[in-house]
Amino acid sequence: MFATETLAEYAASLRNTDLSADVVHHAKRAVIDWYAAVFPGLACPVVGRLENALAEDLDRGDALLAGGRRSTIRVAALINGAAAHAAEIDDSFRDAMYHPGAATIAAALAAGHQARVSGLTFLRGVVLGYEVSTRIGAVLGRPHYRYWHNTGTVGTFGAAAAAAAIFGLDRDAYAHALATAATFAAGLQQAFRLDSMSKPLHAGRAAEAGVLAAILARQGVTGSLDVLDGESGLGHAMAEGPDWTHIGATLGRDFHISRLTFKNHIGCGHTFAAIDGALALRQRHGLAASDIAAVRVATYQPALDIACHAAPATANEARFSFPYVVASALIDGSVRLAAYDPPRLKDPLMLALMKRISVVVDPGIDRAFPGQRTARVEITMADGRCFEHIQAHRKGDPEEPLTDAELHDKFMELSSPTIGTGNAKMLLARLCAIESATALDW
């Protein structure tokens, strides 16, 4: 079978298989984290401009934006997907180098609203979106990640897989949805190497494209089933001709949705091991930022490629600046939304400390990427003392996961400013019981 057919066959089998309580629990955690990301994302300028640009498709249709505004299904997927990625707080799956939630859950929610499905059917779609797309991303591997933004490319498959499941497509139609999604997949890393609003649009377009691929398959539109593994297919065009033979080997046994990373900081996830290491040294030794003479971070090459802004001029660049986020951690003891307030970008202490921070590639750490995201942080004090910390994993990785309580606190912190504390508590309670919902009325 072609890879699309292998994945579709699993999707068809899962329709008649009960999800375990553990998988349901992890799927709900993913949805809670998605909402924690989407609400601050709604306040990002690009999302407001996106709504203005697509106004003719708002206030009508079967779907809902996260803020409650009615929308057509494709535009709901597009706007919600962009919002979920805009504030840089969304989940990730390391081996696929990819933020699966933004597009997958946006598409599942839009499709679920239109199809009027139960909460459990919605969760089943979410699970399939994660399981299918993360495996495609893992097969494409590091060569794909050199140029392509996986959240835009691989995210298209997450959205298509989720929507196709929620629409109840049979095996053949499901395979064609994935095949069509492949030729829609796009998103270049160069699009956000300079200050730009493009990055969250990748997630939004992936959500919209995936939904459209599923809608077309539901109407009988076919795709080339060998589009992933064919000689001119996505694997050769966007990677280095990877082996698709074993893409389905662990389906149904190893649920990737149970091994997500949920962000404990705000910004580029490639910087998080360095942030954690800096925070560990700050707390362990009671370090004052003003007394620090030098900071040296050693990590993996893609982290330097993406978190590349040495002197950020905007909040968007600051999210992708190693010196900025490490300095913020050492000065404030955290890197949350307030870290990117405009005055912080010009703070004298921040600017001075950033100049004393350097970042290099460690070959051993680089070889462990993408399966492990490690950083070594070395701090030299003005009085000559030196401290070192190796952060093997990031707080929020599967090895050091956020507890349910920590995840709920994150949700409340990030959603309350937008919808109010009372509404946030009510929504959280509903999300914690999604599997019992007879309809998606949020």
Side-chain angles (χ1 to χ4, degrees):
M1 289 190 293
F2 298 121
T4 54
E5 294 175 302
T6 298
L7 296 169
E9 186 169 87
Y10 172 69
S13 71
L14 191 65
R15 185 181 307 162
N16 300 314
T17 304
D18 290 336
L19 297 175
S20 71
D22 182 64
V23 170
V24 168
H25 177 70
H26 283 289
K28 289 192 295 183
R29 279 171 57 89
V31 174
I32 290 167
D33 191 73
W34 184 86
Y35 274 98
V38 81
F39 285 121
L42 290 172
C44 293
V46 64
V47 178
R49 296 178 189 189
L50 190 57
E51 288 191 31
N52 291 338
L54 301 172
E56 66 182 5
D57 283 303
L58 298 176
D59 303 316
R60 65 184 183 90
D62 297 323
L64 295 174
L65 302 186
R69 192 175 184 185
R70 190 157 294 281
S71 170
T72 58
I73 178 175
R74 288 173 57 191
V75 166
L78 174 55
I79 294 176
N80 281 339
H85 194 54
E88 296 293 338
I89 321 171
D90 47 330
D91 66 7
S92 62
F93 185 76
R94 285 181 311 202
D95 292 351
M97 292 155 284
Y98 158 52
H99 299 280
T104 299
I105 295 176
L109 195 61
H113 283 146
Q114 187 187 67
R116 295 181 171 83
V117 299
S118 68
L120 190 57
T121 298
F122 164 72
L123 288 178
R124 191 181 299 274
V126 169
V127 170
L128 273 168
Y130 276 76
E131 300 309 310
V132 167
S133 62
T134 54
R135 282 170 170 80
I136 291 172
V139 169
L140 290 173
R142 192 164 173 173
H144 180 75
Y145 194 63
R146 182 180 178 188
Y147 300 110
W148 299 96
H149 182 207
N150 294 25
T151 301
T153 55
V154 180
T156 307
F157 295 102
I166 287 170
F167 289 150
L169 300 190
D170 63 22
R171 175 190 176 279
D172 291 343
Y174 197 102
H176 286 298
L178 295 179
T180 297
T183 204
F184 287 169
L188 294 166
Q189 285 199 21
Q190 197 65 43
F192 50 89
R193 294 295 172 86
L194 295 180
D195 190 43
S196 162
M197 292 183 175
S198 296
K199 189 171 186 284
L201 298 180
H202 292 173
R205 284 288 286 147
E208 180 198 17
V211 165
L212 178 58
I215 291 172
L216 292 172
R218 186 171 58 173
Q219 294 297 320
V221 173
T222 61
S224 181
L225 295 179
D226 65 348
V227 71
L228 296 181
D229 35 18
E231 62 180 14
S232 297
L234 185 142
H236 286 284
M238 290 186 170
E240 295 179 354
D243 182 6
W244 298 90
T245 306
H246 304 293
I247 191 168
T250 62
L251 282 168
R253 293 187 288 109
D254 173 20
F255 280 88
H256 287 182
I257 202 167
S258 69
R259 293 193 282 111
L260 300 175
T261 293
F262 294 121
K263 287 189 172 184
N264 191 45
H265 314 294
I266 294 175
C268 175
H270 290 307
T271 68
F272 285 10
I275 292 173
D276 288 336
L279 289 173
L281 290 176
R282 180 183 189 269
Q283 180 176 11
R284 186 180 307 147
H285 302 288
L287 305 182
S290 58
D291 296 332
I292 294 174
V295 179
R296 187 175 187 269
V297 176
T299 187
Y300 49 91
Q301 182 64 56
L304 275 71
D305 293 339
I306 295 175
C308 58
H309 297 288
T314 66
N316 193 44
E317 288 184 345
R319 288 182 171 90
F320 293 86
S321 168
F322 256 110
Y324 186 89
V325 298
V326 172
S328 183
L330 289 169
I331 293 169
D332 300 323
S334 67
V335 186
R336 307 296 275 192
L337 284 174
Y340 304 101
D341 289 343
R344 301 291 296 138
L345 298 173
K346 300 178 181 179
D347 179 78
L349 179 59
M350 175 76 76
L351 296 175
L353 182 55
M354 286 171 60
K355 292 178 181 178
R356 301 196 292 273
I357 297 173
S358 61
V359 188
V360 299
V361 174
D362 179 287
I365 292 175
D366 186 64
R367 283 193 295 272
F369 177 86
Q372 188 169 346
R373 311 293 176 91
T374 298
R376 183 175 65 254
V377 181
E378 301 168 1
I379 296 180
T380 302
M381 305 302 291
D383 61 9
R385 290 178 299 156
C386 296
F387 305 105
E388 178 182 306
H389 179 83
I390 296 176
Q391 186 71 28
H393 305 285
R394 303 165 296 183
K395 173 67 175 177
D397 276 342
E399 294 81 5
E400 298 186 29
L402 298 186
T403 65
D404 286 353
E406 289 171 329
L407 183 61
H408 294 177
D409 287 345
K410 174 183 174 180
F411 172 89
M412 292 299 301
E413 174 190 346
L414 296 174
S415 63
S416 295
T418 300
I419 62 174
T421 301
N423 287 332
K425 288 181 178 179
M426 287 190 290
L427 178 57
L428 179 59
R430 298 173 83 177
L431 296 178
C432 287
I434 297 175
E435 73 274 31
S436 302
T438 57
L440 305 182
D441 52 0
W442 60 83

Short mmCIF file of all heavy atoms in Angstrom, two decimals, residues 14 33 39 43 54 60 69 100 108-109 112 122 195 200 202 220 248 254 279 282 300 309 326 354 370 381 386:
data_model
loop_
_atom_site.label_atom_id
_atom_site.label_comp_id
_atom_site.label_asym_id
_atom_site.label_seq_id
_atom_site.Cartn_x
_atom_site.Cartn_y
_atom_site.Cartn_z
N LEU A 14 -9.85 2.79 13.55
CA LEU A 14 -10.04 3.48 14.82
C LEU A 14 -11.49 3.90 15.03
O LEU A 14 -11.94 4.07 16.16
CB LEU A 14 -9.13 4.71 14.89
CG LEU A 14 -9.02 5.38 16.26
CD1 LEU A 14 -8.34 4.45 17.26
CD2 LEU A 14 -8.25 6.69 16.17
N ASP A 33 -4.77 23.01 26.16
CA ASP A 33 -3.60 23.80 25.82
C ASP A 33 -3.85 24.64 24.56
O ASP A 33 -3.35 25.77 24.46
CB ASP A 33 -2.39 22.89 25.61
CG ASP A 33 -1.09 23.66 25.53
OD1 ASP A 33 -0.64 24.14 26.58
OD2 ASP A 33 -0.54 23.81 24.42
N PHE A 39 -6.49 32.18 22.86
CA PHE A 39 -7.05 33.44 23.37
C PHE A 39 -6.05 34.59 23.31
O PHE A 39 -6.38 35.66 22.80
CB PHE A 39 -7.64 33.24 24.76
CG PHE A 39 -8.95 32.52 24.75
CD1 PHE A 39 -9.13 31.33 25.43
CD2 PHE A 39 -10.03 33.02 24.03
CE1 PHE A 39 -10.34 30.65 25.41
CE2 PHE A 39 -11.25 32.35 24.00
CZ PHE A 39 -11.40 31.16 24.68
N ALA A 43 -5.52 38.38 20.23
CA ALA A 43 -5.15 39.79 20.43
C ALA A 43 -3.97 40.21 19.57
O ALA A 43 -3.63 41.40 19.54
CB ALA A 43 -4.83 40.02 21.90
N LEU A 54 -11.23 38.97 5.93
CA LEU A 54 -12.18 37.90 5.62
C LEU A 54 -13.58 38.21 6.16
O LEU A 54 -14.37 37.29 6.40
CB LEU A 54 -11.67 36.58 6.20
CG LEU A 54 -10.29 36.14 5.69
CD1 LEU A 54 -9.78 34.94 6.48
CD2 LEU A 54 -10.35 35.81 4.21
N ARG A 60 -21.72 34.57 9.82
CA ARG A 60 -22.58 33.62 9.12
C ARG A 60 -21.85 32.29 9.05
O ARG A 60 -20.65 32.22 9.30
CB ARG A 60 -22.92 34.10 7.71
CG ARG A 60 -21.74 34.17 6.76
CD ARG A 60 -22.15 34.75 5.41
NE ARG A 60 -21.05 34.78 4.45
CZ ARG A 60 -20.76 33.78 3.61
NH1 ARG A 60 -21.50 32.68 3.62
NH2 ARG A 60 -19.76 33.89 2.76
N ARG A 69 -17.61 34.24 17.71
CA ARG A 69 -18.18 34.83 16.49
C ARG A 69 -18.44 33.74 15.45
O ARG A 69 -17.63 32.85 15.25
CB ARG A 69 -17.20 35.86 15.93
CG ARG A 69 -17.77 36.75 14.85
CD ARG A 69 -16.76 37.82 14.46
NE ARG A 69 -17.31 38.75 13.48
CZ ARG A 69 -16.63 39.73 12.90
NH1 ARG A 69 -15.34 39.91 13.22
NH2 ARG A 69 -17.20 40.52 12.02
N PRO A 100 1.56 20.53 16.39
CA PRO A 100 0.39 19.87 15.79
C PRO A 100 -0.95 20.48 16.16
O PRO A 100 -1.90 20.43 15.37
CB PRO A 100 0.48 18.43 16.30
CG PRO A 100 1.26 18.53 17.57
CD PRO A 100 2.23 19.66 17.38
N ALA A 108 -10.47 20.43 13.41
CA ALA A 108 -11.42 19.52 14.07
C ALA A 108 -12.61 20.28 14.63
O ALA A 108 -13.76 19.83 14.54
CB ALA A 108 -10.71 18.75 15.18
N LEU A 109 -12.35 21.44 15.21
CA LEU A 109 -13.43 22.23 15.79
C LEU A 109 -14.36 22.75 14.71
O LEU A 109 -15.59 22.68 14.85
CB LEU A 109 -12.83 23.39 16.59
CG LEU A 109 -13.75 24.13 17.56
CD1 LEU A 109 -14.29 23.19 18.63
CD2 LEU A 109 -13.01 25.30 18.20
N GLY A 112 -16.24 19.84 13.34
CA GLY A 112 -17.17 19.36 14.36
C GLY A 112 -18.38 20.25 14.50
O GLY A 112 -19.51 19.75 14.71
N PHE A 122 -15.41 14.40 18.29
CA PHE A 122 -14.43 15.47 18.12
C PHE A 122 -13.05 15.03 18.62
O PHE A 122 -12.04 15.21 17.92
CB PHE A 122 -14.91 16.71 18.88
CG PHE A 122 -13.87 17.76 19.12
CD1 PHE A 122 -13.40 18.56 18.08
CD2 PHE A 122 -13.37 17.97 20.40
CE1 PHE A 122 -12.44 19.54 18.31
CE2 PHE A 122 -12.42 18.96 20.63
CZ PHE A 122 -11.95 19.74 19.59
N ASP A 195 11.52 40.16 10.54
CA ASP A 195 10.27 40.49 11.22
C ASP A 195 9.12 40.36 10.24
O ASP A 195 9.14 40.94 9.15
CB ASP A 195 10.33 41.92 11.76
CG ASP A 195 9.16 42.23 12.67
OD1 ASP A 195 8.82 41.37 13.50
OD2 ASP A 195 8.60 43.33 12.55
N PRO A 200 2.25 32.74 11.83
CA PRO A 200 0.96 32.16 12.25
C PRO A 200 0.02 31.87 11.09
O PRO A 200 -0.85 30.99 11.21
CB PRO A 200 0.38 33.21 13.19
CG PRO A 200 1.10 34.47 12.87
CD PRO A 200 2.47 34.06 12.43
N HIS A 202 0.83 30.39 8.47
CA HIS A 202 1.11 29.02 8.03
C HIS A 202 0.18 28.03 8.72
O HIS A 202 -0.37 27.13 8.09
CB HIS A 202 2.56 28.65 8.36
CG HIS A 202 3.58 29.41 7.56
ND1 HIS A 202 4.93 29.32 7.81
CD2 HIS A 202 3.45 30.28 6.53
CE1 HIS A 202 5.59 30.09 6.97
NE2 HIS A 202 4.71 30.69 6.19
N GLY A 220 -16.14 13.39 -3.41
CA GLY A 220 -15.66 12.46 -4.42
C GLY A 220 -14.44 12.90 -5.18
O GLY A 220 -14.03 12.24 -6.15
N GLY A 248 3.35 3.14 9.38
CA GLY A 248 2.22 2.68 10.19
C GLY A 248 2.60 1.66 11.25
O GLY A 248 1.70 1.09 11.91
N ASP A 254 1.55 3.06 19.98
CA ASP A 254 2.27 4.21 20.53
C ASP A 254 1.51 5.47 20.12
O ASP A 254 1.61 5.92 18.98
CB ASP A 254 3.69 4.23 19.97
CG ASP A 254 4.46 5.49 20.36
OD1 ASP A 254 4.06 6.15 21.33
OD2 ASP A 254 5.46 5.80 19.68
N LEU A 279 17.26 29.71 34.47
CA LEU A 279 16.42 29.83 35.66
C LEU A 279 16.94 28.93 36.79
O LEU A 279 16.92 29.31 37.97
CB LEU A 279 14.98 29.47 35.32
CG LEU A 279 14.21 30.46 34.46
CD1 LEU A 279 12.85 29.90 34.07
CD2 LEU A 279 14.04 31.80 35.18
N ARG A 282 19.94 30.64 38.26
CA ARG A 282 19.50 31.85 38.98
C ARG A 282 18.96 31.50 40.35
O ARG A 282 19.29 32.13 41.36
CB ARG A 282 18.42 32.56 38.14
CG ARG A 282 17.85 33.84 38.76
CD ARG A 282 16.75 34.36 37.83
NE ARG A 282 16.27 35.68 38.21
CZ ARG A 282 15.25 35.91 39.03
NH1 ARG A 282 14.60 34.89 39.58
NH2 ARG A 282 14.87 37.14 39.31
N TYR A 300 21.79 23.14 19.85
CA TYR A 300 21.81 22.50 18.54
C TYR A 300 21.60 23.53 17.42
O TYR A 300 21.03 24.60 17.64
CB TYR A 300 20.75 21.40 18.48
CG TYR A 300 19.37 21.80 18.95
CD1 TYR A 300 18.42 22.30 18.08
CD2 TYR A 300 19.02 21.69 20.30
CE1 TYR A 300 17.17 22.68 18.52
CE2 TYR A 300 17.77 22.06 20.75
CZ TYR A 300 16.85 22.56 19.85
OH TYR A 300 15.60 22.95 20.28
N HIS A 309 17.61 36.23 16.14
CA HIS A 309 17.68 37.68 16.26
C HIS A 309 18.56 38.09 17.44
O HIS A 309 18.20 37.92 18.59
CB HIS A 309 16.28 38.27 16.41
CG HIS A 309 15.41 38.02 15.22
ND1 HIS A 309 15.58 38.66 14.02
CD2 HIS A 309 14.36 37.17 15.05
CE1 HIS A 309 14.67 38.25 13.15
NE2 HIS A 309 13.93 37.34 13.75
N VAL A 326 16.84 34.62 27.22
CA VAL A 326 17.70 34.21 28.33
C VAL A 326 17.91 35.39 29.29
O VAL A 326 17.86 35.22 30.52
CB VAL A 326 19.04 33.67 27.80
CG1 VAL A 326 20.02 33.44 28.96
CG2 VAL A 326 18.82 32.36 27.04
N MET A 354 21.98 41.38 27.37
CA MET A 354 21.93 40.69 26.08
C MET A 354 23.29 40.71 25.38
O MET A 354 23.69 39.74 24.74
CB MET A 354 20.87 41.32 25.18
CG MET A 354 19.44 40.99 25.56
SD MET A 354 18.24 41.96 24.62
CE MET A 354 18.62 41.46 22.94
N PRO A 370 16.32 15.68 16.49
CA PRO A 370 15.24 16.37 17.19
C PRO A 370 14.69 15.64 18.42
O PRO A 370 13.84 16.18 19.11
CB PRO A 370 14.16 16.44 16.11
CG PRO A 370 14.34 15.18 15.34
CD PRO A 370 15.82 14.94 15.30
N MET A 381 30.31 35.23 36.68
CA MET A 381 29.95 36.41 37.45
C MET A 381 31.08 37.44 37.43
O MET A 381 32.24 37.12 37.14
CB MET A 381 29.62 36.02 38.89
CG MET A 381 28.54 34.96 39.00
SD MET A 381 26.96 35.45 38.23
CE MET A 381 26.44 36.76 39.35
N CYS A 386 32.09 30.92 38.47
CA CYS A 386 31.52 30.32 37.26
C CYS A 386 30.54 29.22 37.64
O CYS A 386 30.82 28.41 38.54
CB CYS A 386 32.63 29.75 36.37
SG CYS A 386 33.78 30.98 35.74
#
